[in-house]
């Protein structure tokens, strides 16, 4: 049941989703990997939309160089753990939600328990090694993965539904080379909003998801493109076993 305050807080979106939809969001639990450039806008907008429980994992402390894009954190947070300042910001935005944070590096040994019984995994990371772990866990747990990545003024996003859509490994079999890439905050802002919109639609069971499609954003030209993506039958994560052996 929604409280009087919640009915008031979400009045304008209850016009869109109804009280039943808002209650669905309240009961929802979403895992966000990363409290940085993508994780900031994603967690903030899911918080104000009333997603009941946000699970946020990050292993970093706030540095000056983060502040051009990681809007969960500000000048006074420099040197503090991102999970601590992130939780503070989210609760300041919406006291009616739960925020569970863990300050750790996501790896093979802890990812399954970190994701726990959440309904979806949001990829707000900056490296493909850990993205592949998220992908594997999403397939194993049969929950969606909301992928997003950025570089400079370019960004991409897709929604992966285990069993029905290609997985991240089908689309990107090999990681791009590691680098300190350029980034301006509005790009993760924009791509993060695509991901957060996907999360909301999935939780509400409404609209058409960004499945089997890779959304590509070029901020320099202000162009959006969409590429159809397909399952790889010999994918090492989601392919058929007999195909993998070949
Ligand atoms: Zn695959």
């Amino acid at each position: 049941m929604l409280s009087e305050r919640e009915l008031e807080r979400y009045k304008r979106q209850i016009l869109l989703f109804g009280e039943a939809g808002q209650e669905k969001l309240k009961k929802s639990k979403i895992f966000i990997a990363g409290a940085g450039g993508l994780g900031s806008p994603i967690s903030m907008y899911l918080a104000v939309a009333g997603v009941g429980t946000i699970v946020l994992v990050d292993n970093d402390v706030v540095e000056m160089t983060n502040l051009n894009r990681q809007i969960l954190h500000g000048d006074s947070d420099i040197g503090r753990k991102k999970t601590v300042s992130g939780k503070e910001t989210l609760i300041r935005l919406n006291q009616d939600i739960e925020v569970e944070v863990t300050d750790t590096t996501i790896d093979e040994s802890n990812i399954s328990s970190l994701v726990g019984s959440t309904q979806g995994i949001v990829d707000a990371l900056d490296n493909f090694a850990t993205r592949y772990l998220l992908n594997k866990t999403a397939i194993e747990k049969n929950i969606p993965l909301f992928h997003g990545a950025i570089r400079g003024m370019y960004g991409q996003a897709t929604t992966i539904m285990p069993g029905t859509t290609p997985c991240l490994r089908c689309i990107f079999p090999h990681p791009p080379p590691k680098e300190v890439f350029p980034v301006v905050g509005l790009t993760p802002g924009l791509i993060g909003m695509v991901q957060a919109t996907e999360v909301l639609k999935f939780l509400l069971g409404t609209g058409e998801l960004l499945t089997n499609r890779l959304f590509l954003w070029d901020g320099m030209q202000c162009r959006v493109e969409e590429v159809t993506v397909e399952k790889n039958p010999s994918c090492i994560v989601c392919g058929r076993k007999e195909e993998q052996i070949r």
Side-chain angles (χ1 to χ4, degrees):
M1 278 289 287
L2 299 167
S3 67
E4 284 302 314
R5 187 171 67 202
E6 286 170 317
L7 287 171
E8 186 67 16
R9 178 189 292 277
Y10 305 121
K11 204 171 189 172
R12 297 292 291 272
Q13 64 189 54
I14 287 173
L15 292 174
L16 198 59
F17 308 139
E19 278 187 43
Q22 194 62 50
E23 280 173 13
K24 266 190 201 170
L25 294 182
K26 186 178 178 175
K27 287 184 200 139
S28 300
K29 193 170 182 179
I30 286 290
F31 180 87
I32 303 174
L38 287 165
S40 288
I42 295 167
S43 61
M44 290 165 82
Y45 273 91
L46 293 183
V48 296
V51 170
T53 308
I54 291 172
V55 180
L56 191 60
V57 177
D58 201 293
N59 68 341
D60 239 345
V61 295
V62 180
E63 292 174 32
M64 182 67 83
T65 58
N66 302 148
L67 299 184
N68 79 322
R69 62 196 184 280
Q70 303 188 10
I71 58 173
L72 270 174
H73 324 291
D75 280 291
S76 59
D77 295 314
I78 289 171
R80 300 176 82 206
K81 288 177 174 170
K82 289 185 185 175
T83 47
V84 174
S85 66
K87 181 172 180 171
E88 256 177 36
T89 302
L90 297 178
I91 295 298
R92 183 174 57 76
L93 290 172
N94 189 350
Q95 58 181 299
D96 289 320
I97 60 160
E98 300 289 327
V99 181
E100 297 174 8
V101 294
T102 308
D103 177 55
T104 192
T105 305
I106 296 171
D107 63 29
E108 198 132 15
S109 71
N110 64 14
I111 188 163
S112 185
S113 63
L114 286 171
V115 173
S117 59
T118 53
Q119 287 155 274
I121 300 175
V122 183
D123 168 8
L125 294 172
D126 60 0
N127 74 88
F128 265 74
T130 316
R131 282 195 167 103
Y132 286 154
L133 275 181
L134 296 183
N135 179 59
K136 193 164 158 264
T137 305
I139 304 289
E140 283 166 4
K141 289 186 183 268
N142 196 28
I143 56 173
L145 173 67
F146 304 94
H147 164 72
I150 54 107
R151 188 186 189 285
M153 299 278 271
Y154 298 95
Q156 64 185 39
T158 189
T159 296
I160 291 159
M161 302 296 284
T164 56
T165 72
C167 81
L168 198 65
R169 275 276 188 179
C170 295
I171 307 169
F172 305 105
H174 307 291
K178 278 189 183 167
E179 60 167 344
V180 177
F181 55 84
V183 50
V184 54
L186 36 83
T187 307
L190 192 142
I191 294 297
M193 281 315 93
V194 173
Q195 292 172 274
T197 305
E198 288 294 288
V199 171
L200 276 200
K201 288 188 304 182
F202 166 72
L203 293 175
L204 292 163
T206 189
E208 190 183 333
L209 292 172
L210 184 59
T211 47
N212 304 303
R213 299 180 282 151
L214 184 66
F215 171 97
L216 296 168
W217 165 248
D218 175 353
M220 279 298 188
Q221 306 298 326
C222 200
R223 281 188 199 282
V224 172
E225 274 186 73
E226 208 181 272
V227 177
T228 301
V229 288
E230 289 178 353
K231 262 174 109 88
N232 172 8
S234 52
C235 171
I236 59 165
V237 178
C238 75
R240 289 192 300 271
K241 291 285 172 279
E242 62 272 26
E243 294 277 353
Q244 290 178 4
I245 292 159
R246 261 180 236 167

